[in-house]
Amino acid sequence: QQPVQSPQAVILREGEDAVINCSSSKALYSVHWYRQKHGEAPVFLMILLKGGEQKGHDKISASFNEKKQQSSLYLTASQLSYSGTYFCGANAGGTSYGKLTFGQGTILTVHP
Amino acid sequence: DGGITQSPKYLFRKEGQNVTLSCEQNLNHDAMYWYRQDPGQGLRLIYYSQIVNDFQKGDIAEGYSVSREKKESFPLTVTSAQKNPTAFYLCASSTGTVSYEQYFGPGTRLTVT
């Protein structure tokens, strides 16, 4: 079953912060985050593994709440280059080893 | 330069014809994947392969076929049985599976009329 992302779209001014959530009804082993610019391939941002860890690089970070089966992506002090569609990909482990199920995406638009 | 190549970038076919999309990687990755993306939607997994000569169906395998005869190549055939084949097709690869990032190719936009 596809994870649910919220919100569906976000509009920001440069310098503002945003949070994108990814919720699953299944127990997850890992969550992947990707960003895709229009007409281009998705680009990897980070992976979070079961265990509730938090990761980050530069001004983009993410957390994974195992109890809630939810991951959140935090974008702080947004830049124009952050614009794009953000996807989470969920892996349930076990027999689905290797298989990612992606959310429907969150469109982020950053204005000057 | 290491990476994933997909060709062609744009492909046009008549309904009823089979078409094969190419995906090659020189990253020495074991796992390879095929996704389909429709406008405004997420990526849906068609097939994936963890090792040569082995592959598994994804969520929407009907109407598609794959082969994995070489580590670096994972071609996808869109058959005439696929009811709605017009879409953006993305190939990806990764070193392992669960805890490894997937690297995506530039994609092939297939239009069937």
Side-chain angles (χ1 to χ4, degrees):
Chain A
Q1 198 167 356
Q2 187 179 35
V4 176
Q5 288 185 232
S6 62
Q8 290 188 335
V10 185
I11 299 175
L12 301 173
R13 292 233 174 259
E14 259 187 305
E16 292 181 338
D17 302 340
V19 180
I20 299 171
N21 297 307
C22 174
S23 297
S24 174
S25 57
K26 285 184 176 182
L28 298 179
Y29 181 82
S30 67
V31 177
H32 298 215
W33 283 98
Y34 292 82
R35 175 172 60 211
Q36 184 180 31
K37 304 271 185 181
H38 184 68
E40 299 179 7
V43 172
F44 170 78
L45 293 175
M46 62 189 77
I47 293 175
L48 296 105
L49 300 179
K50 181 177 171 180
E53 64 177 286
Q54 186 150 351
K55 273 193 175 181
H57 60 83
D58 199 12
K59 297 188 176 80
I60 300 177
S61 62
S63 63
F64 181 16
N65 186 322
E66 197 178 330
K67 283 185 181 177
K68 292 184 179 179
Q69 297 306 320
Q70 178 176 299
S71 179
S72 297
L73 186 71
Y74 308 94
L75 301 106
T76 58
S78 59
Q79 305 167 17
L80 295 176
S81 62
Y82 285 6
S83 292
T85 302
Y86 289 77
F87 293 101
C88 66
N91 178 274
T95 55
S96 68
Y97 191 69
K99 180 181 167 185
L100 282 183
T101 303
F102 283 89
Q104 81 280 16
T106 295
I107 301 171
L108 181 76
T109 306
V110 182
H111 291 297
Chain B
D1 273 343
I4 302 177
T5 55
Q6 290 185 244
S7 59
K9 192 172 176 63
Y10 298 96
L11 193 53
F12 298 89
R13 281 291 182 271
K14 293 287 186 189
E15 208 173 297
Q17 293 179 336
N18 289 356
V19 59
T20 298
L21 280 58
S22 165
C23 176
E24 304 276 331
Q25 54 100 357
N26 60 3
L27 299 166
N28 199 33
H29 285 172
D30 288 313
M32 296 187 74
Y33 313 81
W34 273 106
Y35 293 94
R36 170 184 171 134
Q37 188 174 33
D38 293 285
Q41 295 193 31
L43 293 82
R44 291 184 289 167
L45 183 65
I46 305 173
Y47 269 99
Y48 65 106
S49 168
Q50 296 175 14
I51 54 172
V52 174
N53 292 323
D54 186 52
F55 48 82
Q56 283 78 43
K57 291 183 179 180
D59 297 315
I60 55 165
E62 188 176 342
Y64 299 97
S65 66
V66 293
S67 63
R68 186 87 188 274
E69 296 175 3
K70 297 186 295 183
K71 187 175 184 177
E72 57 271 21
S73 178
F74 191 40
L76 173 75
T77 296
V78 184
T79 74
S80 55
Q82 168 50 232
K83 291 185 171 55
N84 187 16
T86 294
F88 187 46
Y89 290 89
L90 286 158
C91 178
S93 70
S94 67
T95 304
T97 48
V98 173
S99 58
Y100 294 91
E101 64 192 87
Q102 294 187 13
Y103 292 82
F104 285 83
T108 292
R109 194 166 295 279
L110 174 65
T111 302
V112 178
T113 56

